[in-house]
Amino acid sequence: MFDLYLLRRRMTHRLTGKRTTKYAIITAALVLYPIMLAYGVETISRGSFADAWTWIASSPALFALNALLYAFLFLLVYCVFGSLLPSAGMSMAILFIAALITYFKTKLIGQPFYPWDIFLRKEGTNIIPIVTSRTVVIRVAVVAAIVAAVFLLRLLLPRFRLPVWSRIALGVLSIAALYGMAERSPMAQRLFDRAGVGEIVWNQQLNYGSNGFGIAFTLNIQNAVVSKPPGYSDASIATVAQQITDYRDRIPAKSADKQPNVIFIMNEAFWDPTLLPGVTFSEDPVPTVHRLQQDSTSGYLLSSQFGGGTSNVEFEVLTGNSMSFLPSGSVPYQQYIRQPVPSLASYFGSMGYKSMGIHSYDGWFWNRDTVYKWLGFESFKSKEYFTDPEINGAFISDDEVSRSIIQAVDESERPMFIYAITMQNHGPYDDNRYGVNDISVSGDLTPDARNILETYTQGARDADRSLQLLIDHFEQSDEPTMIVFYGDHLPMLGLDYDVYKQGGFISTGDSNQWTLDEMKSMHSVPFVTWSNFALPAEQIPILSDSFLGGYILDRLDLDLPANFAFGYNVSQQIPGLMSGLVVDSESNLSRTVPEAVQPLIDQYRDLQYDLLFGKRLLAGYVDADYLNQIERSDYNEEFKAPKDPAPVDESA
């Protein structure tokens, strides 16, 4: 009997010891592994162990807070999968992939990985051709090997499972903690304050660098929802309406004796490479643009984007709204437009025009095929509806887009508003896509930089020639026609703005150290106009994309609808407005809005909120029919007829 008692005691001690060891290992993993994850994430997102360690040494509390965030994420994954090492591998894979994305995005376009980037569907795959250099492949391979090693440890070590009730309890705890951090609950806010979290909304690259990837990403989750401005009310919109009425009373009555075709061409990444001071070209790559800069209304547009984000520029031009009032890195076409929004397309449509969008790429990209319906376009010709198109490089040629514009105008019995977007000169530019380039460049450039610049310049040359093709046609036309030609953003010429730096355009590849003049230069794209009827020429030093529509309507002597009228009025005092850079009417630069005009900018913000997210209060005062337009029932009927569009060979 006594021997049986001793045996039971020994077995109990052994089981208790194993259980104690198991929970000790689990506890250690939950404490130490998130610290390793935090260091790994910062190393990957910042690009080196040294940069990560410098930040950790200077901000230990912020590093600890990031590690705590990853601990709750790891715990949640563990509670879902129930096995320690697979959960560790899964957590690492999620975080390290996110860190890689932010590293590459920052290197390419100066923007980190945002929560809403998760919903970009196929758009995100466009980064793959850009990040295929040997250095990049090695970086990705090392990260993949580390993640794989963690998963393979499962073959050597036990599962370390938790009881079901423990998993449920800890899972609920981790969800509550993560939700509290994302929503910035009072407890989480106190924790943030003690750690020294300082959100830098206007400079997200600095925000991620200062707070660490995990915390900065979490802070932006709440920014995905656009909050009602503190001053937004019926009274504030009534004031906006009165300003619109006063503006209209001050200007002469508009003439309505002509309805010209109005053609906007947003040429992919179009910029003038001859602006690089340290580079010379064997011939002028953009003679048409340079001639129009001398003869017609022209100038520079202040683009909110660099190297990507085409649809955001499109959003600003078409709606008159400003990205400066929306969360950094957001994509309105993906996130916010879910109902009819007043735009140039709906305005021209209300005047009897046929409003048509043309884009030589997939209609689903940036959700255009759906958004164009909400913006009031009658039709949208995307890549699927080009028949046997000419391919130049990897994409449909700019000349093909020009021919599509000509065909659409010639076939229409009504005047046309066309918003055309090209694709030919989309990056990257290290692919020798054109074979032998017509124009050579010289300067203090590395061979790689010279190759990138010559390829880009060849595409810019083709874009310029496609504009001349349109001019040649409409010079012979008896239909009054105006063309507005511009780029959406500067091209991405190498990692860390390499070609711009080598070409002497900027002093450093670190955008956080740019002067205001350098920031303005890196966001200024040329625009030119042409018409086959008399219009006064004017030189525009700078104009935000959101003010372009109102400016063109005014030059055409067309009545400005309410939102464009207000934006045009704002542009008389602040012609350049983007996050982190403001240009006043005297060309003075500042990082924030001058105090004297802040009330006007606040009204502009209230107006934008009213039209995108609010109650459309403005329609109760002015332009009700235009502001309350409903979805077009005939949207894209001309392209809905059953047919098999010719496939496009993008490998040609």
Side-chain angles (χ1 to χ4, degrees):
M1 183 71 71
F2 182 71
D3 290 342
L4 181 59
Y5 171 74
L6 289 176
L7 179 60
R8 285 177 178 174
R9 287 198 60 180
R10 287 179 186 147
M11 291 178 65
T12 301
H13 284 188
R14 186 174 299 174
L15 290 172
T16 303
K18 287 184 178 180
R19 190 177 297 114
T20 302
T21 301
K22 170 185 173 181
Y23 288 119
I25 292 173
I26 292 174
T27 302
L30 293 174
V31 173
L32 298 177
Y33 190 62
I35 296 174
M36 295 169 57
L37 287 176
Y39 187 46
V41 166
E42 295 305 321
T43 297
I44 295 169
S45 62
R46 295 170 191 271
S48 73
F49 290 104
D51 288 345
W53 180 251
T54 299
W55 174 74
I56 292 169
S58 63
S59 307
L62 287 169
F63 173 72
L65 189 59
N66 277 268
L68 179 63
L69 176 68
Y70 300 150
F72 284 120
L73 175 64
F74 175 34
L75 181 59
L76 178 60
V77 175
Y78 185 21
C79 291
V80 171
F81 288 93
S83 186
L84 185 65
L85 287 168
S87 301
M90 182 64 67
S91 302
M92 178 180 283
I94 293 170
L95 292 171
F96 282 12
I97 289 172
L100 277 172
I101 293 172
T102 207
Y103 173 78
F104 291 132
K105 273 195 70 185
T106 302
K107 287 288 183 183
L108 294 169
I109 61 174
Q111 293 287 333
F113 181 49
Y114 297 108
W116 40 87
D117 288 342
I118 296 169
F119 302 105
L120 292 185
R121 301 187 302 171
K122 299 178 185 177
E123 290 87 349
T125 62
N126 256 27
I127 197 175
I128 294 175
I130 302 173
V131 292
T132 54
S133 68
R134 182 174 180 273
T135 303
V136 169
V137 171
I138 291 174
R139 188 180 293 269
V140 173
V142 169
V143 171
I146 294 171
V147 173
V150 173
F151 277 105
L152 290 174
L153 281 175
R154 170 64 191 88
L155 302 176
L156 304 175
L157 297 175
R159 289 179 176 273
F160 296 112
R161 287 188 173 277
L162 285 175
V164 173
W165 288 110
S166 296
R167 288 169 60 184
I168 293 174
L170 292 174
V172 170
L173 172 65
S174 58
I175 290 173
L178 292 171
Y179 180 81
M181 287 184 170
E183 287 294 310
R184 303 186 213 180
S185 67
M187 183 179 296
Q189 190 60 56
R190 285 194 295 271
L191 199 60
F192 287 175
D193 293 341
R194 289 182 180 180
V197 172
E199 187 175 15
I200 310 170
V201 177
W202 58 91
N203 187 333
Q204 288 292 338
Q205 189 175 344
L206 189 59
N207 190 35
Y208 278 64
S210 175
N211 294 307
F213 172 82
I215 294 301
F217 185 90
T218 302
L219 291 172
N220 273 312
I221 291 176
Q222 193 173 75
N223 291 338
V225 178
V226 179
S227 301
K228 183 173 73 172
Y232 174 69
S233 65
D234 198 317
S236 70
I237 297 302
T239 302
V240 169
Q242 186 60 52
Q243 288 208 16
I244 293 170
T245 301
D246 292 343
Y247 163 74
R248 286 172 169 173
D249 290 342
R250 291 196 304 269
I251 61 176
K254 298 291 185 179
S255 169
D257 59 348
K258 62 178 181 291
Q259 285 191 306
N261 298 308
V262 181
I263 302 169
F264 279 61
I265 304 169
M266 189 170 71
N267 192 276
E268 172 61 38
F270 183 82
W271 180 68
D272 183 355
T274 66
L275 293 174
L276 292 168
V279 178
T280 57
F281 298 80
S282 59
E283 64 178 86
D284 185 353
V286 288
T288 303
V289 167
H290 286 160
R291 185 185 75 250
L292 293 176
Q293 286 177 331
Q294 299 298 319
D295 300 339
S296 304
T297 290
S298 62
Y300 286 87
L301 297 176
L302 189 65
S303 172
S304 61
Q305 308 298 301
F306 174 86
T310 297
S311 71
N312 288 355
V313 176
E314 195 176 324
F315 164 78
E316 288 194 315
V317 174
L318 283 170
T319 67
N321 293 316
S322 174
M323 290 298 301
S324 64
F325 302 132
L326 299 174
S328 296
S330 59
V331 182
Y333 277 17
Q334 294 280 3
Q335 296 171 250
Y336 308 130
I337 298 183
R338 297 290 183 270
Q339 61 179 341
V341 173
S343 75
L344 289 176
S346 60
Y347 166 74
F348 279 104
S350 69
M351 292 175 41
Y353 277 65
K354 177 181 179 180
S355 292
M356 182 178 188
I358 297 176
H359 184 31
S360 51
Y361 200 59
D362 298 292
W364 55 259
F365 204 75
W366 296 126
N367 206 28
R368 284 188 181 94
D369 51 3
T370 299
V371 168
Y372 274 22
K373 173 180 62 178
W374 298 126
L375 294 181
F377 281 95
E378 183 174 329
S379 60
F380 174 37
K381 182 179 181 179
S382 53
K383 185 184 77 173
E384 300 92 311
Y385 302 108
F386 280 75
T387 302
D388 193 23
E390 175 190 22
I391 305 298
N392 196 344
F395 304 104
I396 292 177
S397 71
D398 286 2
D399 280 358
E400 186 72 27
V401 175
S402 291
R403 287 191 288 267
S404 289
I405 292 171
I406 292 169
Q407 179 185 9
V409 173
D410 287 350
E411 291 179 353
S412 176
E413 296 180 356
R414 291 176 285 156
M416 292 201 70
F417 168 70
I418 294 179
Y419 198 93
I421 310 153
T422 68
M423 191 67 178
Q424 178 187 324
N425 213 20
H426 195 286
Y429 308 102
D430 58 356
D431 55 0
N432 295 308
R433 69 179 73 170
Y434 302 116
V436 178
N437 297 314
D438 296 327
I439 299 176
S440 60
V441 303
S442 58
D444 189 14
L445 302 172
T446 64
D448 286 344
R450 181 176 290 104
N451 176 56
I452 289 172
L453 183 56
E454 287 186 348
T455 299
Y456 172 77
T457 300
Q458 180 71 27
R461 168 190 169 279
D462 291 346
D464 186 87
R465 288 190 176 183
S466 73
L467 173 59
Q468 186 62 51
L469 188 157
L470 285 172
I471 293 172
D472 290 343
H473 173 81
F474 287 108
E475 276 182 334
Q476 309 303 317
S477 173
D478 57 0
E479 292 188 49
T481 301
M482 181 181 191
I483 298 172
V484 185
F485 179 93
Y486 55 97
D488 48 353
H489 50 69
L490 271 72
M492 182 185 57
L493 302 177
L495 296 178
D496 290 327
Y497 314 99
D498 191 40
V499 174
Y500 296 101
K501 187 169 54 177
Q502 292 187 40
F505 196 66
I506 53 175
S507 59
T508 175
D510 184 356
S511 59
N512 290 316
Q513 297 182 26
W514 289 345
T515 65
L516 288 174
D517 281 320
E518 286 178 320
M519 183 183 295
K520 176 173 172 283
S521 296
M522 291 296 283
H523 286 272
S524 296
V525 295
F527 87 93
V528 294
T529 66
W530 176 88
S531 63
N532 58 7
F533 57 94
L535 283 176
E538 185 177 8
Q539 297 302 307
I540 308 299
I542 200 71
L543 188 69
S544 280
D545 289 313
S546 53
F547 302 139
L548 178 62
Y551 176 82
I552 296 300
L553 294 180
D554 180 75
R555 289 303 174 271
L556 288 172
D557 276 336
L558 297 173
D559 291 322
L560 275 67
N563 53 330
F564 288 96
F566 191 86
Y568 182 76
N569 192 35
V570 171
S571 72
Q572 304 307 294
Q573 298 186 56
I574 302 293
L577 178 65
M578 61 174 261
S579 296
L581 179 63
V582 179
V583 187
D584 69 15
S585 57
E586 302 298 322
S587 296
N588 297 310
L589 309 182
S590 59
R591 296 194 184 278
T592 57
V593 175
E595 186 176 346
V597 294
Q598 186 64 60
L600 180 64
I601 300 303
D602 288 344
Q603 291 173 339
Y604 183 24
R605 176 203 59 199
D606 291 347
L607 170 60
Q608 177 168 316
Y609 181 85
D610 185 56
L611 297 180
L612 287 179
F613 311 106
K615 302 177 181 178
R616 297 278 173 95
L617 299 173
L618 186 64
Y621 298 96
V622 292
D623 295 0
D625 290 342
Y626 160 73
L627 295 172
N628 285 328
Q629 287 187 35
I630 61 175
E631 172 192 344
R632 293 190 66 118
S633 59
D634 60 347
Y635 172 68
N636 231 21
E637 277 189 355
E638 67 178 291
F639 295 120
K640 288 179 180 177
K643 63 178 180 178
D644 296 318
V648 175
D649 181 7
E650 294 190 3
S651 65

